[in-house]
Amino acid sequence: MRQIIALGGGGFSMEPENPLLDTYILHQVNKTIPKICFIPTASGDSDHYITRFYNFFKNQSCEPSHLSLYNPPTRDLETFILEKDIIYVGGGNTKNLLALWREWKLDNMLRQAWKQGIVLAGISAGSICWFEQGITDSYGTGLEPITCLGLLKGSNCPHYDGEPERRTMYKKFIKEKRLHGGIAADDGVAIHYIDQEINKVVSSRKNAKAYRVNSGSDKVLPTHFLGSN
């Protein structure tokens, strides 16, 4: 079963007091102590970001680790990746993430991990990267389309409510056919794909939603709030 969990925002890096999305990710593995590996490439392997990852996951029922491409833990990255249960990709600069992954052939390793049933998850850049296309601020001022790994069909837009310009520009790029239609997610929303189809949309915030966006429309997708009503 090939699984990808794409977060529009939230999780340990955006709402550290709200564990709902991150515990949901952990629960998708049928193991008591799943091995979860954080890949912070998009942030330039930020020490602060890595620390926040460990601060949360060291208190969960899991075995956390991280993969730095600036200070690799091993020469055999493929074995390191394929022994994990969950790969969790952080946010930051999507263009730099893709360039470094291709240079290290990590994109091929992650594709193999996905085919082997390792859960792929990520927030913002770590969400966009799995789709054919996304909308990114990686180039500096303003937002631009970007071509990504293509494990999931269509395009992706995170932070749909948190950064208002993204909603406007995402719809504009789709209308102009610079992006394929796709899926947008508010902060606090995770879209859970199984075998390239949406299985479930979950949220850590009551009013947060995901949307199917095509030229001229964005349709709200049924979203399950993970907290108590």
Side-chain angles (χ1 to χ4, degrees), residues 21-93:
L21 293 182
D22 291 333
T23 53
Y24 177 84
I25 291 170
L26 290 174
H27 290 158
Q28 304 318 305
V29 176
N30 189 26
K31 290 187 178 180
T32 305
I33 309 291
K35 295 178 180 178
I36 182 168
C37 179
F38 181 50
I39 303 183
T41 313
S43 68
D45 289 348
S46 163
D47 288 339
H48 180 59
Y49 204 178
I50 294 167
T51 298
R52 282 185 288 163
F53 167 78
Y54 283 109
N55 283 345
F56 177 80
F57 284 99
K58 71 182 181 182
N59 295 313
Q60 309 303 312
S61 295
C62 65
E63 183 182 321
S65 62
H66 76 280
L67 171 59
S68 168
L69 294 181
Y70 292 87
N71 186 23
T74 174
R75 297 182 73 91
D76 186 1
L77 295 185
E78 183 173 9
T79 297
F80 182 84
I81 287 292
L82 296 181
E83 70 179 9
K84 308 306 183 211
D85 301 302
I86 302 167
I87 303 295
Y88 194 133
V89 180
N93 189 302

Side-chain angles (χ1 to χ4, degrees), residues 6 49 82 104-105 107 119 121-122 137 139 141-142 146 163 178 202:
Y49 204 178
L82 296 181
W104 285 82
K105 297 183 172 54
D107 55 337
V119 176
D137 56 6
Y139 297 91
T141 304
I146 190 169
E163 299 176 15
R178 295 180 64 191
V202 297

Side-chain angles (χ1 to χ4, degrees), residues 39-221:
I39 303 183
T41 313
S43 68
D45 289 348
S46 163
D47 288 339
H48 180 59
Y49 204 178
I50 294 167
T51 298
R52 282 185 288 163
F53 167 78
Y54 283 109
N55 283 345
F56 177 80
F57 284 99
K58 71 182 181 182
N59 295 313
Q60 309 303 312
S61 295
C62 65
E63 183 182 321
S65 62
H66 76 280
L67 171 59
S68 168
L69 294 181
Y70 292 87
N71 186 23
T74 174
R75 297 182 73 91
D76 186 1
L77 295 185
E78 183 173 9
T79 297
F80 182 84
I81 287 292
L82 296 181
E83 70 179 9
K84 308 306 183 211
D85 301 302
I86 302 167
I87 303 295
Y88 194 133
V89 180
N93 189 302
T94 311
K95 182 174 176 61
N96 288 346
L97 173 151
L98 293 168
L100 279 169
W101 282 8
R102 286 168 180 146
E103 177 65 25
W104 285 82
K105 297 183 172 54
L106 188 60
D107 55 337
N108 294 333
M109 298 174 203
L110 292 171
R111 188 181 300 274
Q112 183 62 30
W114 175 63
K115 290 178 179 178
Q116 289 186 197
I118 296 170
V119 176
L120 305 182
I123 176 174
S124 194
S127 171
I128 295 168
C129 67
W130 310 120
F131 291 79
E132 290 179 306
Q133 299 173 311
I135 181 171
T136 182
D137 56 6
S138 297
Y139 297 91
T141 304
L143 295 160
E144 295 289 341
I146 190 169
T147 299
C148 303
L149 298 181
L151 302 186
L152 299 174
K153 301 296 183 183
S155 64
N156 179 235
C157 178
H159 309 303
Y160 205 53
D161 63 338
E163 299 176 15
E165 185 184 8
R166 286 190 184 254
R167 181 187 292 256
T168 301
M169 295 305 294
Y170 187 51
K171 294 168 78 171
K172 179 176 183 289
F173 290 148
I174 291 173
K175 186 175 182 179
E176 294 173 348
K177 301 189 184 304
R178 295 180 64 191
L179 283 175
H180 302 315
I183 302 297
D186 290 341
D187 290 336
V189 169
I191 305 150
H192 186 175
Y193 287 81
I194 295 179
D195 293 333
Q196 298 181 304
E197 299 293 334
I198 295 175
N199 176 62
K200 195 172 188 180
V201 179
V202 297
S203 73
S204 60
R205 306 177 188 183
K206 281 188 178 180
N207 297 318
K209 302 294 182 185
Y211 307 82
R212 188 176 298 279
V213 186
N214 293 297
S215 182
S217 68
D218 48 357
K219 179 183 178 183
V220 177
L221 297 176

